[in-house]
């Protein structure tokens, strides 16, 4: 149908009239996407993870929340939100179950692709806001459907959920919450910007719907509140990471000055409060490389000292 206040704009009330067949297809496709995402994350394969992003159908109900929000159909908004939450929980659970089924050792090193989903920042929020604009534009302007793959890759929906379930399996509940936060960030940002775009393109509540204006206002306020809450949390995290990076650079400078001309490579630095953990790689003479001896004895005496503890 076409709204009279926006000539030429096709209004698609997403989520209206969707029955059992639609949701069966949705959950089937989501399950396939979750399996692909879990396999890709565990194999540390970025290409497979991207394939899971392209298969994921989560963008449609999220855009449905935004469109029905603008049209004042709060009942549909709640139903779509419930289905989205159930889909998210199911995706995380499937990530956990797959690792159990394949008997992946829970004490192995966590793949980098999984850890990449545990550090949401303001940059992720900005990407999600832009993705909401692009996704809603494509929903209304069907001739721009070629943008959909780019939108699917740009915003991460299924991979962080799969990563959350996998991290629970690996015994990292804190990191699992961070991965879930990335999904919540994407969800809140897409709903807000998509609602703005739908409204700007002419989507309005039906004149027959009583109290529609109040419902739309309430929904928009809730959407803005959600984004603000997420943004405040991400801002704190981003500032913390900036300070942490500065501290790590300071520690790295101290180590390089202390090592001087000796062959010492900084592998990793972690700064948590007053505790600093450093992983170093030392150059060992070839003739002594196969000796069975304590690591400290292989290091030049010049590097021994009270300033740096060597394990």
């Amino acid at each position: 149908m076409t709204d009279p206040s926006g000539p030429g704009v096709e209004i698609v009330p997403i989520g209206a009239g969707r029955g059992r067949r639609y949701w069966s297809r949705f959950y089937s496709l989501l399950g396939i996407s979750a399996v692909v995402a879990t396999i890709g994350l565990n194999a540390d394969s970025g290409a497979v993870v991207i394939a899971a992003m392209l298969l994921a159908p989560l963008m449609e109900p999220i855009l449905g929340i935004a469109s029905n929000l603008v049209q004042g159909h709060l009942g549909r908004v709640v139903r779509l939100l419930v289905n989205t939450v159930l889909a998210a929980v199911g995706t995380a659970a499937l990530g956990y179950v797959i690792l159990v089924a394949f008997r992946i050792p829970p004490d192995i090193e966590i793949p980098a692709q999984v850890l990449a989903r545990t550090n949401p920042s303001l940059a992720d929020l900005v990407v999600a806001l832009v993705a909401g604009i692009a996704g809603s534009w494509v929903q209304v302007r069907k001739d721009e459907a070629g943008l959909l793959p780019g939108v699917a890759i740009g915003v991460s929906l299924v991979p962080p959920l799969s990563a959350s379930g996998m991290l629970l399996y690996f015994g990292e509940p804190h990191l699992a919450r961070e991965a879930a936060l990335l999904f919540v960030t994407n969800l809140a940002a897409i709903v807000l910007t998509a609602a703005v775009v739908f409204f700007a393109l002419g989507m309005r509540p039906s004149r027959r719907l009583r109290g529609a204006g109040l419902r739309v206002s309430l929904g928009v306020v809730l959407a803005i509140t959600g984004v603000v809450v997420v943004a405040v949390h991400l801002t704190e995290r981003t500032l913390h990471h900036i300070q942490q990076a500065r501290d790590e650079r300071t520690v790295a400078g101290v180590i390089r000055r202390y090592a001087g001309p000796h062959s010492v490579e900084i592998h990793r630095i972690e700064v948590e409060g007053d505790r600093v953990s450093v992983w170093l790689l030392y150059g060992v003479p070839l003739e002594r490389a196969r000796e069975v001896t304590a690591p400290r004895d292989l290091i030049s005496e010049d590097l021994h000292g009270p300033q740096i503890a060597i394990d």
Side-chain angles (χ1 to χ4, degrees):
M1 78 182 165
T2 303
D3 190 279
S5 62
V9 177
E10 184 183 0
I11 305 301
V12 182
I14 311 169
R18 297 297 171 89
R20 185 177 301 174
R21 180 178 298 179
Y22 168 80
W23 289 111
S24 296
R25 174 186 171 278
F26 170 82
Y27 282 110
S28 298
L29 191 57
L30 179 64
I32 295 172
S33 174
V35 170
V36 173
T38 302
I39 294 173
L41 290 169
N42 188 61
D44 225 359
S45 173
V48 177
V49 174
I50 290 175
M53 294 178 184
L54 293 172
L55 289 170
L58 271 173
M59 183 64 100
E60 186 171 355
I62 293 176
L63 291 177
I65 293 172
S67 68
N68 283 289
L69 193 66
V70 172
Q71 295 175 90
H73 301 301
L74 292 189
R76 292 176 187 169
V77 169
V78 172
R79 287 195 296 272
L80 284 168
L81 185 58
V82 168
N83 275 285
T84 301
V85 171
L86 290 176
V89 173
T91 301
L94 193 54
Y96 185 99
V97 170
I98 289 174
L99 295 189
V100 172
F102 282 93
R103 297 182 179 180
I104 304 297
D107 54 350
I108 64 172
E109 184 177 357
I110 300 175
Q113 284 288 333
V114 176
L115 293 177
R117 271 77 191 176
T118 62
N119 192 24
S121 64
L122 283 175
D124 296 295
L125 179 62
V126 173
V127 170
L129 290 169
V130 175
I133 295 173
S136 54
W137 177 267
V138 172
Q139 186 65 39
V140 174
R141 306 289 189 182
K142 299 298 184 182
D143 55 325
E144 301 288 354
L147 296 174
L148 277 177
V151 174
I153 295 173
V155 63
S156 187
L157 293 172
V158 167
L161 294 172
S162 298
S164 183
M166 295 172 70
L167 287 163
L168 288 176
Y169 176 83
F170 289 132
E172 298 287 350
H174 172 69
L175 293 179
R177 288 194 297 271
E178 295 302 315
L181 176 61
L182 177 56
F183 171 77
V184 173
T185 299
N186 293 329
L187 172 64
I190 292 172
V191 168
L192 179 60
T193 53
V196 171
V197 171
F198 284 140
F199 186 84
L201 292 178
M203 190 175 286
R204 299 289 188 275
S206 171
R207 293 189 178 93
R208 297 188 299 271
L209 188 63
R210 292 183 178 180
L214 180 60
R215 295 183 185 184
V216 172
S217 299
L218 176 61
V220 171
V221 168
L222 291 176
I224 293 175
T225 302
V227 171
V228 169
V229 170
V230 171
V232 169
H233 182 69
L234 292 181
T235 300
E236 294 175 353
R237 286 179 52 85
T238 302
L239 293 175
H240 171 72
H241 290 150
I242 291 173
Q243 183 59 48
Q244 191 175 43
R246 289 174 179 169
D247 293 340
E248 290 174 1
R249 284 198 298 270
T250 301
V251 172
V254 172
I255 293 173
R256 291 191 182 96
R257 289 194 298 272
Y258 178 72
H262 297 282
S263 177
V264 177
E265 180 182 344
I266 301 172
H267 179 60
R268 193 171 77 192
I269 300 174
E270 289 184 1
V271 180
E272 292 293 338
D274 296 331
R275 180 180 176 84
V276 179
S277 301
V278 183
W279 286 259
L280 301 176
L281 299 177
Y282 295 90
V284 177
L286 182 61
E287 62 273 12
R288 302 194 61 190
R290 297 184 180 180
E291 293 183 15
V292 179
T293 183
R296 183 184 182 93
D297 295 335
L298 294 173
I299 302 170
S300 171
E301 291 292 335
D302 295 340
L303 289 175
H304 292 177
Q307 297 95 330
I308 298 179
I310 301 174
D311 296 326

